[in-house]
Amino acid sequence: METVPASPEPAVDLRALAAEDDEFLWRWLHGTPDPEWKRWDAPYFHAADTQVPDRDTFAAAHARHVEDRHRRIVTVDGAPVGLVTRYEEAPAGGGWWELGILLFDPSRWGRGIGRRALAAWTDATFAETDAHLITLTSWSGNERMVACAQHAGYTPVARVPEARAWDGRRWDSVRLGLLRSQWEAASTSAPDDDAVPPPPPDVAFREGEVPAADDLRRLYDAVGWSAYTQDMETLAAGVAGSSPVVTAWAGDALVGLARVVSDGHTIAYLQDVLVDPAHRRQGIASELLRRVFAPYAHVRQHVLITDAEPGQRAFYEAAGFREIRDGRFPGRAFVRFGG
Ligand SMILES: CC(C)(COP(=O)(O)OP(=O)(O)OC[C@H]1O[C@@H](n2cnc3c(N)ncnc32)[C@H](O)[C@@H]1OP(=O)(O)O)[C@@H](O)C(=O)NCCC(=O)NCCS
């Protein structure tokens, strides 16, 4: 299935450390002289940090970190840009976890990457551990970190005045926290950051009406889904057999379509949502999605498979979908292409 990218934002993901990350991490952690990030990431520690491990010791430590599920690499459109970490405050099993986040390259800062990576790391930590509470610790000079954490749902929970000496003066230590109950409440409410505009009033939506083959061909060709239009008979039969089909019309022109396949009780599978490129970024795809799933609010499993284009993820997350690999919903997804 393919869809309309609803957001120009790059894809921000977390993945396990790989052996090949050794060079990337070495370059940023020790290979770059006086990097800007060390002026922000607990600089009161780095100021005294004259101990640089030799390359072999670093490589050996990295090989161990590859196995460590408490660290992940932050990627933007697949390229590594940072690191997230976590540890459990003693005693083990007490339910208090502390997270860390670091984007190495200053050109990446202030673009919303941190808050998305931190939100994903928070989700993963609540899913993978027994955390009752997650905290993050920063300092009063790092307003970017504090704002980033607040955007990800954290609130300031402790402030230790003048605890840190750095850059010729003293700063407060600042701790931010998020309880599992707060995270659960936020997870079930509608996301507002990715809100899409309401569809334009001159677009009409129709439900349960199967468009003529010519209209279908024009729309599917417009989005480049030629595999479908090479066999119009199968496409038209597939659309007619879907339950239901919702279409968007600008005057007489078919400009969008979404269709679901469902048994009406236990599963609702989204097979297509597509919008003519000339009508994108107007909220049409979101409205199609809302309408096509409306009859299935009582159905537990809403499922879809899509390609990995940047923007797709944000679109579906804004509609409440979560990737299985995020860990929030344990399980595996499989697909087999036949025919
Ligand atoms: C801290 C860090 C992870 C945040 O990630 P990020 O992608 O920059 O954060 P976001 O863009 O999601 O949010 C940053 C917020 O700070 C604001 N901000 C940006 N520059 C700022 C500045 N110089 N002063 C104050 N606020 C600033 C941004 O505008 C944004 O808030 P807003 O959307 O309300 O305007 C990242 O900047 C980083 O790795 N910095 C270096 C290392 C570090 O400080 N790590 C944390 C150690 S405690």
Side-chain angles (χ1 to χ4, degrees):
M1 202 199 75
E2 299 172 69
T3 59
V4 184
S7 158
E9 284 186 344
V12 177
D13 287 297
L14 305 181
R15 64 159 170 78
L17 268 69
E20 310 78 77
D21 295 319
D22 169 84
E23 198 47 51
F24 162 74
L25 290 171
W26 169 264
R27 178 160 47 87
W28 280 107
L29 290 170
H30 303 296
T32 309
D34 196 20
E36 176 71 8
W37 68 264
K38 287 191 181 176
R39 297 185 57 77
W40 299 95
D41 183 67
Y44 30 83
F45 291 136
H46 291 298
D49 177 16
T50 49
Q51 285 273 317
V52 176
D54 67 54
R55 195 65 184 85
D56 290 345
T57 308
F58 181 87
H62 179 71
R64 287 194 302 276
H65 290 157
V66 167
E67 306 296 325
D68 184 353
R69 68 190 193 95
H70 300 315
R71 291 168 186 254
R72 306 271 155 88
I73 293 286
V74 181
T75 63
V76 173
D77 288 341
V81 301
L83 189 64
V84 287
T85 56
R86 69 181 172 218
Y87 68 86
E88 188 175 12
E89 290 279 356
W96 176 7
W97 286 78
E98 168 88 6
L99 303 192
I101 177 164
L102 173 54
L103 307 179
F104 292 110
D105 183 345
S107 70
R108 301 283 190 178
W109 300 350
R111 294 164 173 241
I113 295 167
R115 80 189 59 165
R116 291 166 68 194
L118 182 57
W121 191 221
T122 303
D123 288 352
T125 299
F126 276 124
E128 294 165 14
T129 74
D130 64 348
H132 176 81
L133 163 74
I134 297 178
T135 55
L136 279 151
T137 307
S138 191
W139 54 290
S140 50
N142 198 346
E143 291 171 24
R144 199 182 290 113
M145 181 67 241
V146 173
C148 164
Q150 287 181 303
H151 283 304
Y154 289 75
T155 50
V157 290
R159 196 170 183 107
V160 184
E162 302 185 21
R164 300 299 188 184
W166 156 246
D167 210 18
R169 56 167 280 198
R170 300 205 68 93
W171 305 85
D172 298 349
S173 174
V174 177
R175 208 155 212 186
L176 297 115
L178 180 63
L179 291 164
R180 182 181 284 271
S181 55
Q182 295 170 318
W183 170 77
E184 279 169 351
S187 305
T188 51
S189 64
D192 56 5
D193 267 10
D194 297 319
V196 289
D202 51 347
V203 172
F205 292 87
R206 295 185 204 159
E207 282 155 38
E209 182 185 314
V210 178
D214 280 351
D215 290 327
L216 285 176
R217 185 201 306 277
R218 213 171 301 120
L219 177 62
Y220 277 74
D221 277 346
V223 301
W225 293 2
S226 51
Y228 268 130
T229 53
Q230 277 163 14
D231 183 353
M232 279 309 296
E233 211 173 306
T234 301
L235 174 61
V239 171
S242 302
S243 51
V245 182
V246 180
T247 46
W249 299 83
D252 290 341
L254 177 67
V255 297
L257 180 147
R259 61 193 182 106
V260 154
V261 181
S262 174
D263 65 5
H265 298 278
T266 64
I267 175 88
Y269 184 89
L270 180 76
Q271 174 59 3
D272 287 336
V273 50
L274 61 161
V275 172
D276 186 317
H279 293 265
R280 286 189 182 168
R281 304 208 48 77
Q282 297 174 15
I284 296 174
S286 297
E287 183 63 14
L288 284 167
L289 209 58
R290 195 187 66 71
R291 286 175 184 252
V292 82
F293 274 112
Y296 304 108
H298 63 290
V299 173
R300 185 164 168 267
Q301 266 180 276
H302 294 185
V303 183
L304 64 94
I305 295 172
T306 183
D307 53 34
E309 266 179 40
Q312 305 259 2
R313 187 184 167 104
F315 173 67
Y316 288 114
E317 286 190 343
F321 286 85
R322 294 290 176 268
E323 274 195 85
I324 279 185
R325 71 189 171 104
D326 279 355
R328 179 97 63 92
F329 304 112
R332 292 197 171 99
F334 295 94
V335 64
R336 181 163 75 179
F337 292 104

